[in-house]
């Protein structure tokens, strides 16, 4: 009975969104995107699209999303939004991070990406434009992937902080006490595999078109680069996402090497009390701000 009620609620929500969507003006970018998509299908094989297309999407999204945070270090006005103002970025650290990223991307992640085509073939995941889900379905699927990945990340990340394991794997990621955007995927190869597994679970559950693979890659990179940016910028649109953790939440984890283990949302840390030190820190910070205003 409860299952039927849940299905009915979801169907009603879907119909409501579909009804609202019918009143929205046509997206002027839809036709150019459709033409580009069909051109891709006509000129490249599914293997090329799944493999090299996925690699290009990942690399382009990763480094383009890193650009704002990289530029912020050269803008004096933005320094007031830097969370750890006493620890500025250095060229030495950024260059070291970049070299490790290239190794991880091409020797760890690329072999995994090469399996994308076989994954789509095994599960009969379509590539055709006509099979592409509507935008609101894609948004819901990405949110579902984020919820699943967040749960996986919380428990495995917390495990990697165990005193018997930490120094062998996760310590690499914590080399930078004050994180910056490009450092989001700076990690031991084993950590890339362990925590990266959570990314694929949502794909297995929700994927009904190859576009979800790329949409979820972009969403996940957008989130992880934001929380590692080191800047708590106002009017950040990601703060509109319910229970979103954000840069200040994760920056505290890098400062203290404990607590705030979740990747995207705050609920697991709240349930298990692993955000208690962060809450106390925020309360202390608020008191100091009040005193300074007097």
């Amino acid at each position: 009975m409860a299952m039927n009620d849940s299905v009915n609620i979801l169907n009603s929500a879907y119909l409501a969104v579909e009804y609202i969507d019918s009143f929205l003006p046509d997206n002027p970018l839809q036709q150019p995107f459709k033409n580009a998509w069909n051109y891709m299908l006509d000129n490249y094989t599914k293997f090329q699209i799944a493999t090299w297309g996925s690699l290009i999407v990942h690399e382009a999204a990763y480094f383009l999303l890193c650009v704002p945070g990289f530029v912020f270090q050269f803008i004096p006005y933005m320094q007031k939004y830097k969370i750890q103002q006493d620890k500025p970025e250095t060229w030495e650290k950024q260059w070291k991070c970049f070299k490790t990223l290239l190794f991880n991307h091409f020797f760890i992640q690329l072999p995994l990406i090469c399996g994308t085509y076989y994954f789509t073939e095994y599960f009969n995941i379509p590539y055709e434009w006509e099979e592409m889900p509507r935008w609101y379905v894609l948004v819901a699927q990405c949110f579902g992937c984020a919820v699943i990945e967040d749960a996986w990340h919380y428990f495995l990340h917390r495990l990697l902080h165990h005193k018997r394991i930490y120094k062998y794997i996760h310590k690499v990621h914590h080399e930078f006490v004050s994180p910056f955007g490009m450092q989001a995927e700076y990690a031991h190869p084993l950590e890339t595999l362990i925590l990266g597994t959570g990314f694929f679970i949502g794909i297995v559950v929700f994927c009904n078109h190859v576009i979800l693979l790329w949409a979820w890659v972009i969403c996940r990179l957008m989130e992880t680069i934001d929380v590692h940016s080191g800047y708590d910028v106002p009017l950040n649109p990601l703060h509109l996402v319910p229970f979103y953790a954000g840069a200040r939440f994760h920056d505290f984890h890098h400062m203290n090497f404990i607590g705030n283990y979740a990747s995207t949302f705050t609920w697991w840390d709240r349930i298990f009390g692993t955000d208690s030190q962060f809450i106390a820190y925020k309360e202390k910070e608020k008191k100091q701000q009040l005193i300074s205003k007097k």
Side-chain angles (χ1 to χ4, degrees):
M1 184 66 179
M3 179 64 73
N4 290 334
D5 290 341
S6 298
V7 171
N8 290 333
I9 291 171
L10 289 173
N11 286 335
S12 299
Y14 179 85
L15 291 173
V17 174
E18 195 172 44
Y19 178 74
I20 294 170
D21 183 57
S22 66
F23 289 97
L24 296 176
D26 292 336
N27 184 349
L29 298 177
Q30 181 171 333
Q31 190 59 45
F33 180 60
K34 178 180 179 180
N35 294 339
W37 189 270
N38 286 328
Y39 177 85
M40 178 183 70
L41 293 177
D42 292 339
N43 290 275
Y44 299 96
T45 65
K46 286 185 176 181
F47 178 82
Q48 290 173 324
I49 293 169
T51 305
W52 303 115
S54 297
L55 177 65
I56 291 169
V57 167
H58 179 272
E59 295 305 300
Y62 192 90
F63 290 106
L64 284 174
L65 289 167
C66 285
V67 168
F70 179 78
V71 172
F72 287 167
Q73 66 183 306
F74 305 110
I75 304 175
Y77 176 80
M78 296 303 297
Q79 296 313 301
K80 65 181 180 180
Y81 300 122
K82 183 168 173 58
I83 300 166
Q84 298 187 55
Q85 297 185 10
D86 59 330
K87 297 181 178 68
E89 298 91 341
T90 66
W91 286 108
E92 182 184 1
K93 289 180 179 179
Q94 290 175 98
W95 175 242
K96 183 179 181 179
C97 178
F98 181 71
K99 289 188 292 183
T100 302
L101 281 179
L102 290 182
F103 177 84
N104 285 350
H105 285 185
F106 290 97
F107 291 96
I108 307 298
Q109 295 181 12
L110 180 57
L112 296 175
I113 290 173
C114 287
T116 304
Y117 167 74
Y118 303 100
F119 170 81
T120 59
E121 287 294 293
Y122 182 82
F123 288 101
N124 294 316
I125 295 170
Y127 290 62
E128 291 73 22
W129 173 266
E130 292 73 21
E131 300 292 326
M132 192 178 293
R134 300 298 297 273
W135 66 268
Y136 44 84
V137 175
L138 202 58
V139 169
Q141 289 173 328
C142 286
F143 185 79
C145 287
V147 171
I148 292 171
E149 190 281 332
D150 185 69
W152 176 273
H153 191 101
Y154 175 84
F155 292 103
L156 271 295
H157 182 197
R158 189 172 178 180
L159 178 63
L160 288 176
H161 271 270
H162 191 280
K163 61 183 179 180
R164 293 185 179 180
I165 303 173
Y166 175 78
K167 65 180 179 179
Y168 299 109
I169 301 175
H170 193 53
K171 186 177 180 180
V172 174
H173 183 68
H174 276 281
E175 184 175 331
F176 303 113
V177 177
S178 178
F180 47 92
M182 192 168 58
Q183 190 238 337
E185 290 186 344
Y186 181 89
H188 189 285
L190 278 177
E191 179 174 339
T192 300
L193 295 173
I194 293 168
L195 296 185
T197 300
F199 173 88
F200 296 101
I201 298 174
I203 293 295
V204 172
V205 173
F206 294 108
C207 196
N208 58 353
H209 195 280
V210 72
I211 192 67
L212 178 62
L213 290 167
W214 296 351
W216 171 223
V217 164
I218 294 170
C219 288
R220 178 69 180 111
L221 290 179
M222 190 182 303
E223 176 275 326
T224 191
I225 291 170
D226 177 60
V227 301
H228 285 92
S229 68
Y231 289 84
D232 187 18
V233 181
L235 303 179
N236 184 337
L238 287 175
H239 291 166
L240 297 174
V241 177
F243 303 101
Y244 181 66
R248 191 168 290 276
F249 185 86
H250 192 69
D251 207 280
F252 182 84
H253 175 78
H254 276 264
M255 275 193 287
N256 297 277
F257 306 98
I258 193 169
N260 295 10
Y261 297 110
S263 59
T264 307
F265 305 107
T266 57
W267 51 61
W268 287 113
D269 284 286
R270 182 59 55 87
I271 290 170
F272 290 99
T274 47
D275 64 345
S276 58
Q277 290 188 26
F278 176 65
I279 293 172
Y281 172 79
K282 284 202 303 181
E283 290 176 352
K284 183 180 178 181
E285 197 175 51
K286 285 181 181 178
K287 288 178 181 178
Q288 289 176 342
Q289 289 174 353
L290 289 172
I291 292 171
S292 64
K293 288 179 179 179
K294 291 182 179 179

